[in-house]
Amino acid sequence: MNSDGSGIGINYGLLGDNLPPPDQVTTLLKSRNISQIRIFSPDHNVLNALQNSGIQVIIGTFNQEVGTLAGDINFAKAWVQTNIVPYVQTIKFRCISIGNEVIPGDMNSLVFPAMQNMNAALQFFSLFQIPVSTTVGINALASSSPPSTGDFSGDVKPAIEQIACFLANNGFPLLITAYPYFSYIHEPSLIQLPFVLFTSPDIVVRDGNLGYKNMFDAMVDAVYSALEKVGASGVEVVICESGWPSQGNGDFTTTELAQTYNQNLLNHVRGSGTPKKPDKNVETYVFALFNENQKDPGVEQHFGLFNPDMTEVYHVDF
């Protein structure tokens, strides 16, 4: 089973020692009309629980597997045989992500050959319908404001050029993590909070004929501009992570701010595209499903919409 993906989903991380069993999580997701998720690794307990649920899945490889995937087609075949083939009739796979934010980093050059081998492994098993991509941090952009100046930094551009060509030739999306929260807390005196929370009534950033009322759209369009500069204007941008922590950094992190950001984010991507691509809704995955107590102390433990006991940290309508 496969699907093209549209609309909204959530990230389901497992870095907690008190998280509910995956079958209960699947029930929770369905009860909240969440039909798309992203998982960071091929956890078979999670995959077993997702079978025949109708929930569409972005599945990731471990970052430490990227080098092996890049150098060994047989490892890629074994990965597909173990983690995809048993589930392909019962789970809708949106795509496979080669690692998480490996780019930018010291393994930039390994991602593309790993993607090639994973794609070849899927084809070996006649699974032509499952896209292969990678998850790139928004900090891979050297320039992003105004959005038309969006450009990948020099150290990642050689790798991105190969990846973007591959994605364009195959009709596969590029996965991007984008957090207006982190931009805002670094320059709160320069960035207007309404611009970050989707509550500005007026255009804040002008870019030629285009006007931006929120930072999320500006980030997405900066990536589209950067893709154009590497000859891949047709590649779809999927925001596979965006969110706001509910505590851990004083007044910047309250349940009210987190709820406002995430609800307005979902309302926005449900209802419209970006100024650059107004007719294309941005497929977006909120980060994250649960507060995870084995992540780094501070805000990283507080991105969840739900507590580990499955009560709400705050309410968001999907």
Side-chain angles (χ1 to χ4, degrees):
M1 301 169 69
N2 74 295
S3 184
D4 291 334
S6 60
I8 53 182
I10 199 162
N11 285 265
Y12 175 15
L14 298 174
L15 295 178
D17 60 13
N18 55 355
L19 297 176
D23 60 330
Q24 293 182 21
V25 176
T26 299
T27 300
L28 172 66
L29 292 167
K30 293 175 73 172
S31 75
R32 297 303 306 275
N33 299 313
I34 300 170
S35 60
Q36 295 170 231
I37 66 168
R38 174 180 175 230
I39 59 177
F40 294 84
S41 63
D43 185 286
H44 285 211
N45 291 324
V46 171
L47 291 170
N48 289 336
L50 289 168
Q51 291 191 96
N52 299 306
S53 67
I55 295 170
Q56 181 176 287
V57 180
I58 294 176
I59 184 171
T61 72
F62 288 109
N63 285 0
Q64 58 264 35
E65 293 175 321
V66 172
T68 314
L69 285 165
D72 187 353
I73 182 67
N74 289 320
F75 181 79
K77 288 179 180 177
W79 196 97
V80 171
Q81 187 162 28
T82 302
N83 300 313
I84 302 296
V85 171
Y87 301 102
V88 76
Q89 298 301 321
T90 54
I91 292 177
K92 296 191 290 185
F93 288 108
R94 169 65 174 112
C95 71
I96 298 170
S97 174
I98 302 300
N100 178 43
E101 295 179 333
V102 175
I103 298 174
D106 55 9
M107 294 195 296
N108 287 343
S109 63
L110 297 175
V111 175
F112 174 57
M115 292 171 67
Q116 285 184 302
N117 279 345
M118 184 67 79
N119 194 49
L122 289 166
Q123 292 180 356
F124 178 81
F125 291 102
S126 299
L127 300 175
F128 302 101
Q129 75 277 25
I130 301 174
V132 176
S133 189
T134 189
T135 298
V136 176
I138 195 80
N139 57 329
L141 296 181
S143 173
S144 61
S145 185
S148 62
T149 67
D151 200 4
F152 292 106
S153 62
D155 56 337
V156 307
K157 191 170 281 189
I160 289 286
E161 284 175 340
Q162 292 181 305
I163 290 166
C165 180
F166 169 85
L167 296 175
N169 289 339
N170 287 283
F172 296 164
L174 178 64
L175 309 180
I176 296 285
T177 62
Y179 289 88
Y181 163 78
F182 287 113
S183 297
Y184 175 65
I185 63 166
H186 288 137
E187 296 184 304
S189 62
L190 298 178
I191 297 171
Q192 301 172 30
L193 186 60
F195 183 59
V196 180
L197 295 177
F198 302 91
T199 55
S200 174
D202 302 314
I203 289 170
V204 177
V205 172
R206 286 223 168 259
D207 187 7
N209 294 327
L210 302 179
Y212 290 83
K213 294 182 178 181
N214 67 79
M215 182 181 283
F216 178 86
D217 280 353
M219 286 178 159
V220 175
D221 281 354
V223 177
Y224 275 123
S225 293
L227 284 168
E228 289 175 359
K229 293 181 177 70
V230 293
S233 60
V235 172
E236 178 187 2
V237 172
V238 170
I239 301 300
C240 66
E241 283 183 35
S242 194
W244 196 290
S246 60
Q247 58 176 290
N249 188 18
D251 292 342
F252 292 120
T253 51
T254 65
T255 53
E256 291 79 12
L257 284 171
Q259 180 181 39
T260 298
Y261 177 80
N262 281 322
Q263 187 65 72
N264 287 347
L265 169 67
L266 296 185
N267 293 347
H268 176 68
V269 298
R270 244 196 307 260
S272 60
T274 67
K276 189 174 177 66
K277 293 185 178 281
D279 298 325
K280 174 63 181 169
N281 291 39
V282 182
E283 183 180 342
T284 302
Y285 295 76
V286 171
F287 190 89
L289 186 55
F290 294 111
N291 283 337
E292 299 170 61
N293 68 358
Q294 292 174 318
K295 301 197 77 170
D296 291 339
V299 295
E300 292 297 328
Q301 294 188 4
H302 296 285
F303 272 92
L305 274 59
F306 292 90
N307 297 297
D309 64 1
M310 297 197 292
T311 59
E312 293 182 334
V313 179
Y314 51 87
H315 182 74
V316 171
D317 286 317
F318 275 81

